[in-house]
Amino acid sequence: LYVWRNLAPTVLGIDLPGAKFSTGRDLQSHGADLILGDSHSLRTLGAARGYLLDQQADMLFLDGDHEYGGVKADFHMYADLVRPSGMIILQDIRDHHRPDVGVHRLWNELKYSYNTEECIANDEQDWAGIGIVLKDGGS
């Protein structure tokens, strides 16, 4: 986040304090503007749209709710905020072998429907990983 903030004029974070996978207010210490709220709420989505002033983002990084239903909802709710040819990035695309982490399930669906790239630091690592969905005009 610190590096992105030095490269991008605007970095917006959404966090729900006290939630299972909450980052906490550390996002602000790295230079992000922060919306406190449930990412699954239409009110929070509206706040993000208002923050962007009807512009589209170049990149969306999803690293909040790691449960399958939650990350899927975030993907579909916020994907339209990203411009065509922008990127939607998901963290933890490899199976964590935990029932409460389902990002890998969504990733396995997305990679067959979108142009994607995987960034895996180590093939022997059986968790983590970054998945990038490259939006095009038809997505």
Side-chain angles (χ1 to χ4, degrees):
L1 179 61
Y2 177 79
V3 172
W4 289 338
R5 181 60 187 106
N6 285 300
L7 296 173
T10 304
V11 175
L12 173 65
I14 297 173
D15 191 56
L16 181 59
K20 189 174 192 174
F21 294 102
S22 176
T23 303
R25 295 179 187 243
D26 290 341
L27 296 171
Q28 287 177 310
S29 69
H30 291 292
D33 293 319
L34 187 60
I35 295 173
L36 295 177
D38 183 347
S39 62
H40 307 131
S41 162
L42 292 177
R43 184 178 195 167
T44 304
L45 175 61
R49 285 187 197 283
Y51 180 88
L52 292 172
L53 300 172
D54 294 322
Q55 300 292 315
Q56 288 187 298
D58 295 320
M59 180 181 67
L60 170 65
F61 187 90
L62 297 176
D63 183 32
D65 187 335
H66 283 57
E67 293 180 3
Y68 171 75
V71 73
K72 185 173 183 172
D74 284 346
F75 180 87
H76 291 292
M77 284 179 71
Y78 291 89
D80 287 342
L81 298 182
V82 179
R83 68 172 168 77
S85 73
M87 295 182 288
I88 302 170
I89 301 172
L90 291 85
Q91 183 176 358
D92 296 327
I93 61 168
R94 287 220 166 154
D95 188 350
H96 276 56
H97 309 291
R98 288 177 43 182
D100 60 337
V101 177
V103 180
H104 67 284
R105 289 179 50 206
L106 177 62
W107 180 248
N108 287 333
E109 294 171 11
L110 295 175
K111 67 184 179 181
Y112 294 106
S113 301
Y114 294 89
N115 184 10
T116 62
E117 295 288 333
E118 291 186 5
C119 301
I120 307 295
N122 179 340
D123 280 335
E124 294 176 16
Q125 185 177 17
D126 66 351
W127 62 276
I130 299 289
I132 302 170
V133 175
L134 305 168
K135 275 191 75 176
D136 59 68
S139 295

